[in-house]
Amino acid sequence: SRVVTVHPVGGCPMGRDEREGVVDSYGNVFGYPGLVIADGSVLPGPVGPNPSTTIAACAHRFAERMIADAR
């Protein structure tokens, strides 16, 4: 018997506008200023065997943008 685990991602994918996704490329939710999603749900689908590094990189990018916008 083979053991398989999954890393579910997706649900609030990035897009160019609200017709393509839920958030922009910085995690900002379309139509809800100030609301940012920074987890695996913004990925369009599986990115490899373990998405933790990709999720962390996205969260870092989003945080950098939030800091820059606050200045």
Side-chain angles (χ1 to χ4, degrees):
S1 170
R2 183 174 172 199
V3 176
V4 177
T5 62
V6 296
H7 301 279
V9 295
C12 295
M14 285 186 236
R16 289 178 281 197
D17 57 39
E18 62 278 348
R19 289 172 292 152
E20 289 186 0
V22 175
V23 302
D24 66 13
S25 62
Y26 291 97
N28 298 300
V29 178
F30 294 116
Y32 293 88
L35 180 58
V36 177
I37 298 176
D39 64 14
S41 66
V42 303
L43 303 178
V47 294
N50 186 340
S52 63
T53 303
T54 303
I55 293 167
C58 285
H60 184 268
R61 171 183 164 85
F62 301 167
E64 292 270 320
R65 180 60 172 259
M66 290 171 65
I67 292 166
D69 288 347
R71 290 186 178 148

